[in-house]
């Protein structure tokens, strides 16, 4: 075999102009082999990029078998030069290889340094730190340096003008190589790991030259070109690579999303606007790229219900071209088109640009991979489940309504709940509390690429979604520290139809309940169990065992509650009140036996009557008994009269008032006896005490909407009331209420948030 000529193409990752120039250069060169910067042990997967079923954006996923959490990604978009190079090589029968350090060596170096590089291990020096824990000496931004020399404020604009929107195959790559050589001459020593990477690439290029007859194309980050072209002794390169540790790794392809190619998402080698880059790639060679982009803006706006005239679009295009000329740019970029659209289509309202910004600049693309691609087991199982559920991953949010009474709806719900157990929050319940209490669920779906990483991390629990979710939940159950945490985990297990975790959780819950005497912990465990029992039919759940356990917990809570309510500070009392209300709501929901219900209400009565009960809790207990019919209207009015009497300390009266009315302010509209009792209390307050308790009154009335506030005022003053201007007493309205409403009127009619 004779030596082959090597052509070096320094590109920018995910640059559509670089990709266009590269494809043209490959057509002219017609290399017999294409070598691409990337993990050399993944070369066998490269040809899959050219499969018709492979729809970018996708990412090469690599992880060590003994540590799936240490996953790295190499993303590829339709407009990525490396992707286009791979497709060209396959279509033209050229050999195709990655030449960078194998992923196994990277993982070993990372483990030794206990230091992770940025996502994708990209090669721009501004994005990459030395993987051996040292700060790279060449962290200066080379593109930014060139841009500054050319009179640009930032490297993004310079690269877009010179490369992305002005592709010129031959001269461009030579000019880039010369510029990078000049920059690197002043950099001195590079970081050790970078030196090893470049040594490995040189070794792979040398091996290819011996193997192939004919031209060879090397596609790499522009920064590396000078180091790969320069003469280095094989002995020195071998010395650099000697002793590199290896870890056995697994590699596959995974779907990626358009937004995760953006710099704004923390991707170090990303681009500012992936949607714009895709547009540039698809309109390459056309003169009407700006016109088509404005048409896309108009289409998005029209879908959202905004009127956009043709005349406005024509004016926007003229303005964009004028801005480009003023800014001395060869043609309008997305910044000029954005500014022109804001002026001509949004009437100068920059905030309205947010309506279309994400959809246009980031895009909503989610990649697809061939069905026969070797995958990590959990990713493969997820794809099977997605196909069965007829749910396609999408990058932007969309709503999904699920009917649990249908087989397909129940399957979708179960899948989404199992994924949530694994930390893959593809779907989020829009109203978790309400959704769990009906036969319907409303989800918001949005796919993120890191969910593939989460699935890989969960391989330690099992090879399928169901087995992994069971395994992870069982581990969480084993380490749960409190009864309420266990109850919530049991709820998750049953909701996700995880039988092993459900069995383990119920056993742990029963054992913990037998030992627990903490009232707050017991109260907090009741609502999740009640949800399962009340709506178990929707998920075909056997609830008999749970019902007995919950009834036992209710009785234990009722016994412990009077003692737990004693002598609490403000924060502890508020926490216990919240738990009491939620537990009472759950108890009413499941309608337990009369003995259990009487036991619970006897516990509330003991709190109300207890001499040491904190006033806030006593007021809450009184309200719950009143709502349950255990306290009549007359008795409630008398109780309020006593608890709010002038002889009661103001702080105690205020606490009782808040406990009773914080979720029952509406009662004052309809119940004259309660209004009279509150009236008498307000009359008894001097001005300083009244002002001091205004925040309390505001908290109570903030639960009323504007109509309820109006109706309360009408109940006191009559329907002729006009607030806040000119309060006048009406027959039967009550003089004291008139006087206090003069001060409370603005509070009642306000938004309740002040």
């Amino acid at each position: 075999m004779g030596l082959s000529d090597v052509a070096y193409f320094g590109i920018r990752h995910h640059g559509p102009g670089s990709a266009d120039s590269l494809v043209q250069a490959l057509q002219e060169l017609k290399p017999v082999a294409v070598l691409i910067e990337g993990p050399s042990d993944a070369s066998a997967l490269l040809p899959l990029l050219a499969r018709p079923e492979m729809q970018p954006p996708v990412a090469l996923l690599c992880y060590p078998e003994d540590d799936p959490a240490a996953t790295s990604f190499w993303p590829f978009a339709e407009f990525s030069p490396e992707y286009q190079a791979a497709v060209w090589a396959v279509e033209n029968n050229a050999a195709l290889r990655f030449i960078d350090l194998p992923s196994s060596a990277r993982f070993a170096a990372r483990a030794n340094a206990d230091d992770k590089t940025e996502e994708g291990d990209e090669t721009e020096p501004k994005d990459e730190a030395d993987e051996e824990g040292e700060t790279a000496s060449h962290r200066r931004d080379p593109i930014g340096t060139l841009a500054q020399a050319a009179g640009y404020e930032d490297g993004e604009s310079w690269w877009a003008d010179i490369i992305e929107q002005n592709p010129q195959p031959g001269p461009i790559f030579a000019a880039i190589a010369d510029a990078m050589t000049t920059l690197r001459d002043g950099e001195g020593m590079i970081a050790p790991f970078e030196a090893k990477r470049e040594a490995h690439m040189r070794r792979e290029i040398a091996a290819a030259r011996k193997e192939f007859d004919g031209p060879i194309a090397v596609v790499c980050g522009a920064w590396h070109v000078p180091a790969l072209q320069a003469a280095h002794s094989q002995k020195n390169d071998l010395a650099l690579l000697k002793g590199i540790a290896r870890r056995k790794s697994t590699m596959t392809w995974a779907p990626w999303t358009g937004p995760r190619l953006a710099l704004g998402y923390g991707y170090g080698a990303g681009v500012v606007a992936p949607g714009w880059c895709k547009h540039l790639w698809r309109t390459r060679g056309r003169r009407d790229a700006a016109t088509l982009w404005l048409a896309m803006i108009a289409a998005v706006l029209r879908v959202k219900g905004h009127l956009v005239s043709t005349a406005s679009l024509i004016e926007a295009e003229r303005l964009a071209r004028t801005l480009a000329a003023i800014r001395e740019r060869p043609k309008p970029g997305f910044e000029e088109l954005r500014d022109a659209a804001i002026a001509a289509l949004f009437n100068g309202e920059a905030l309205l640009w947010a309506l279309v910004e994400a959809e246009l600049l980031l895009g909503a693309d989610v990649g697809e991979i061939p069905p026969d691609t070797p995958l990590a087991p959990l990713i493969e199982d997820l794809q099977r489940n997605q196909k069965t559920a007829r749910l396609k991953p999408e990058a932007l949010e969309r709503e999904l309504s699920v009917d649990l009474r249908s087989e397909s709806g129940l399957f979708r719900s179960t899948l989404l709940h199992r994924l949530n157990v694994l930390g893959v929050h593809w779907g989020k319940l829009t109203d978790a509390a309400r959704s769990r209490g009906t036969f319907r669920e409303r989800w918001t779906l949005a796919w993120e690429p890191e969910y593939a990483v989460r699935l890989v991390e969960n391989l330690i629990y099992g090879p399928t979604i169901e087995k992994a979710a069971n395994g992870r939940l069982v581990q969480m159950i084993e380490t749960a520290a409190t009864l309420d945490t266990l109850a919530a985990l049991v709820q998750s297990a049953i909701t996700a139809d995880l039988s092993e975790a459900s069995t383990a959780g119920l056993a742990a819950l029963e054992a913990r309940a037998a030992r627990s005497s903490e009232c707050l912990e017991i109260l907090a465990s009741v609502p999740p169990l009640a949800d399962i029992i009340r709506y178990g039919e929707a998920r075909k759940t056997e609830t008999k065992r749970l019902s007995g356990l919950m009834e036992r917990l209710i009785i234990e809570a009722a016994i412990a509650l009077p003692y737990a309510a004693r002598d609490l500070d403000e924060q502890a009392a508020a926490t216990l009140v919240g738990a009491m209300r939620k537990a009472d709501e759950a108890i009413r929901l499941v309608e337990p036996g009369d003995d259990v219900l009487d036991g619970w209400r006897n516990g509330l009565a003991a709190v109300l009557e207890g001499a040491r009960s904190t006033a806030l809790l006593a007021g809450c207990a009184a309200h719950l008994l009143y709502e349950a019919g255990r306290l009549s209207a007359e008795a409630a009015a008398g109780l309020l009269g006593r608890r709010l009497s002038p002889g009661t300390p103001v702080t105690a009266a205020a606490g009782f008032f808040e406990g009773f009315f914080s979720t029952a302010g509406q009662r004052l509209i309809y119940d004259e006896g309660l209004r009279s009792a509150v009236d008498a209390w307000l009359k008894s307050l001097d001005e300083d005490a009244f002002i001091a308790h205004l925040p309390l009154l505001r908290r109570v009335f903030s639960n009323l909407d504007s109509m309820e506030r109006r109706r309360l005022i009408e109940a006191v003053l009559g329907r002729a009331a006009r607030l806040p201007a000119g309060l006048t007493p009406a027959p039967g309205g009550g003089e004291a209420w008139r006087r206090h409403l003069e001060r409370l009127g603005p509070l009642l009619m306000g938004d309740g948030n002040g």
Side-chain angles (χ1 to χ4, degrees):
M1 294 286 182
L3 292 180
S4 302
D5 293 329
V6 180
Y8 296 86
F9 299 103
I11 52 89
R12 185 183 183 191
H13 305 290
H14 317 305
S18 289
D20 191 9
S21 296
L22 177 62
V23 171
Q24 294 181 51
L26 292 175
Q27 280 294 102
E28 293 177 6
L29 180 66
K30 298 193 182 318
V32 296
V34 177
L35 311 181
I36 299 175
E37 178 187 332
S40 57
D41 51 345
S43 292
L45 296 176
L46 256 179
L48 289 175
L49 283 176
R51 292 273 297 275
E53 307 96 319
M54 184 76 82
Q55 297 295 317
V58 294
L60 179 65
L61 179 154
C62 301
Y63 59 92
E65 290 186 358
D66 58 349
D67 184 15
T71 302
S72 288
F73 282 103
W74 282 262
F76 294 81
E78 178 184 355
F79 48 82
S80 300
E82 299 93 332
Y83 171 78
Q84 292 298 330
V87 171
W88 187 94
V90 172
E91 291 178 347
N92 290 274
N93 298 313
L96 179 61
R97 295 176 184 172
F98 278 136
I99 58 171
D100 204 345
L101 279 174
S103 61
S104 57
R106 289 172 174 268
F107 296 138
R110 182 181 300 170
N112 292 339
D114 193 26
D115 178 45
K116 290 187 178 181
T117 59
E118 296 206 13
E119 187 177 57
D121 293 325
E122 296 294 339
T123 60
E124 296 294 336
K126 63 179 178 180
D127 299 323
E128 186 176 77
D130 177 26
E131 294 196 33
E132 293 186 1
E134 302 175 24
T135 302
S137 62
H138 61 285
R139 294 189 64 87
R140 191 156 56 98
D141 175 8
I143 304 301
T145 303
L146 293 174
Q148 188 176 16
Y152 282 73
E153 291 184 4
D154 61 273
E156 292 292 329
S157 300
W158 178 84
W159 189 271
D161 285 354
I162 303 301
I163 307 296
E164 306 305 348
Q165 299 186 122
N166 193 28
Q168 303 174 45
I172 283 295
F173 291 115
I176 290 172
D178 288 343
M180 293 301 165
T181 299
T182 301
L183 287 174
R184 289 196 63 154
D185 283 345
E187 288 296 326
M189 294 292 293
I190 66 171
F193 192 79
E194 281 299 289
K196 292 174 183 177
R197 291 183 59 206
E198 292 176 345
H200 191 278
M201 287 192 272
R202 286 192 294 269
R203 294 279 301 160
E204 292 291 315
I205 295 168
R209 292 184 69 187
K210 293 180 180 179
E211 180 178 354
F212 298 106
D213 281 324
I216 295 172
V218 175
V219 180
C220 62
W223 178 258
H224 296 297
V225 170
L228 301 186
Q229 286 180 319
H232 286 74
S233 74
Q234 293 189 21
K235 182 179 179 181
N236 289 340
D237 282 347
L238 284 171
L240 278 172
L241 296 171
K242 185 178 180 180
I244 286 185
R246 306 272 178 141
R247 295 172 74 185
K248 192 173 182 181
S249 59
T250 299
M251 289 152 287
T252 185
W253 290 106
W256 203 250
T257 68
R260 292 310 299 268
L261 294 166
L263 275 170
Y265 274 70
Y267 175 33
V271 291
V272 173
W276 172 251
C277 290
K278 177 181 175 181
H279 176 72
L280 286 178
W281 172 254
R282 293 193 169 183
T283 59
R284 62 194 183 281
R286 298 185 58 162
R287 298 172 61 89
D288 58 353
T291 305
L292 293 172
W293 183 255
L294 287 170
M296 290 171 60
I297 295 177
V300 173
L301 286 173
R302 286 166 180 161
V303 167
K304 296 180 182 297
H306 296 269
L307 296 176
V308 182
S309 69
T310 303
S312 296
L313 286 170
I314 293 172
E315 186 60 33
E317 183 172 4
R318 287 174 178 168
L319 180 56
R321 295 189 185 281
T322 302
L323 285 173
I326 292 172
R327 295 170 181 175
E328 298 182 344
R329 303 192 69 175
K331 60 182 70 173
F334 79 83
E335 300 96 332
E336 285 73 34
L337 290 164
R338 175 198 61 206
D339 296 344
I342 291 171
L345 306 182
F346 297 95
N347 297 317
E349 294 290 340
L351 289 176
L352 294 178
W353 172 252
L355 291 172
V356 299
E357 183 177 30
E359 192 166 344
L360 287 169
L361 297 187
L362 299 181
D365 296 339
V366 176
E368 296 180 12
I369 56 179
D372 57 348
T373 303
L375 297 175
L378 279 176
I379 298 176
E380 188 174 5
D381 190 51
L382 174 61
Q383 291 194 343
R384 285 194 296 266
N385 280 276
Q386 286 172 333
K387 185 175 181 180
T388 303
R390 297 192 300 278
L391 290 175
K392 184 178 179 180
E394 297 174 324
L396 295 183
E397 290 186 354
R398 76 175 182 93
E399 298 294 325
L400 175 69
S401 180
V402 169
D403 187 342
L404 299 177
R405 293 169 293 187
S406 72
E407 186 175 342
S408 61
L410 185 59
F411 183 85
R412 287 178 167 187
S413 172
T414 300
L415 172 62
L416 293 172
H417 280 292
R418 286 175 176 174
L419 289 172
N420 278 332
V421 168
L422 295 174
V424 177
H425 302 294
W426 176 25
K428 297 178 183 177
L429 284 171
T430 55
D431 186 345
R434 182 173 298 175
S435 293
R436 285 175 179 155
T438 68
F439 286 96
R440 289 189 178 275
E441 290 179 338
R442 296 190 66 84
W443 295 83
T444 299
L445 303 184
W447 182 260
E448 298 287 351
E450 62 262 27
Y451 295 156
V453 178
R454 304 260 176 88
L455 289 173
V456 170
E457 291 173 357
N458 281 289
L459 280 171
I460 59 174
Y461 300 112
T464 67
I465 300 295
E466 180 180 2
K467 289 182 178 179
N470 260 310
R472 184 176 188 189
L473 209 50
V474 166
Q475 185 184 75
M476 294 168 70
I477 287 166
E478 290 172 351
T479 58
T482 62
L483 185 63
D484 53 314
T485 301
L486 269 175
L489 292 173
V490 169
Q491 182 184 30
S492 295
I494 292 177
T495 303
D497 191 21
L498 301 172
S499 57
E500 295 175 24
S502 298
T503 301
L506 282 171
L509 192 60
E510 289 172 334
R512 177 78 192 192
R515 303 192 306 270
S516 179
S517 59
E518 174 59 44
C519 182
L520 185 61
E521 183 182 342
I522 297 172
L523 287 173
S525 69
V526 171
L529 297 181
D531 278 345
I532 300 170
I533 293 167
R534 177 65 177 83
Y535 299 102
E537 182 183 345
R539 299 186 180 279
K540 303 177 178 61
T541 303
E542 176 56 53
T543 60
K544 184 176 180 181
R545 181 179 177 186
L546 271 178
S547 296
L549 175 60
M550 196 189 79
E551 289 184 352
R552 195 173 88 205
L553 290 171
I554 293 170
I555 295 299
E556 290 180 7
I559 294 170
L561 187 57
Y563 301 95
R566 293 178 177 177
D567 307 323
L568 298 179
D569 60 27
E570 184 177 350
Q571 183 176 355
T575 301
L576 188 55
V577 160
M580 278 175 60
R581 292 194 187 281
K582 289 179 181 178
D584 185 79
E585 181 181 358
I587 291 166
R588 287 187 282 109
L589 185 71
V590 297
E591 299 177 343
D594 290 342
D595 291 345
V596 175
L597 205 55
D598 287 342
W600 169 247
R601 288 169 182 164
N602 287 339
L604 294 176
V607 172
L608 175 59
E609 296 162 4
R612 293 174 57 188
S613 293
T614 305
L616 183 71
L617 287 150
C620 176
H623 169 242
L624 297 178
L625 291 169
Y626 181 62
E627 295 291 343
R630 283 283 295 264
L631 196 63
S632 67
E634 295 78 9
L639 176 65
L640 282 170
R642 293 192 302 274
R643 290 283 192 162
L644 304 180
S645 65
T648 305
V650 172
T651 53
F656 191 89
F657 177 84
E658 182 178 8
F660 195 102
F661 287 111
S662 61
T663 60
Q666 296 89 342
R667 284 289 187 181
L668 292 172
I669 300 172
Y670 310 106
D671 198 318
E672 187 175 354
L674 294 183
R675 284 203 309 272
S676 297
V678 174
D679 177 35
W681 176 56
L682 290 173
K683 270 197 306 186
S684 71
L685 299 177
D686 59 32
E687 184 170 356
D688 290 341
F690 180 83
I691 292 173
H693 287 90
L694 274 178
L696 164 66
L697 297 171
R698 180 176 289 279
R699 285 203 300 272
V700 170
F701 291 127
S702 68
N703 292 310
L704 304 180
D705 61 31
S706 58
M707 180 58 69
E708 288 171 332
R709 296 175 197 176
R710 170 64 65 184
R711 292 171 72 181
L712 175 56
I713 293 168
E714 290 175 352
V716 175
L717 300 180
R719 293 190 178 275
R722 294 290 183 268
L723 284 174
L727 287 167
T728 56
E735 178 62 24
W737 270 93
R738 185 206 67 77
R739 175 169 60 85
H740 286 294
L741 279 173
E742 286 179 344
R743 290 186 282 180
L744 286 172
L747 179 148
L748 285 169
M749 297 308 293
D751 61 9
N753 295 322

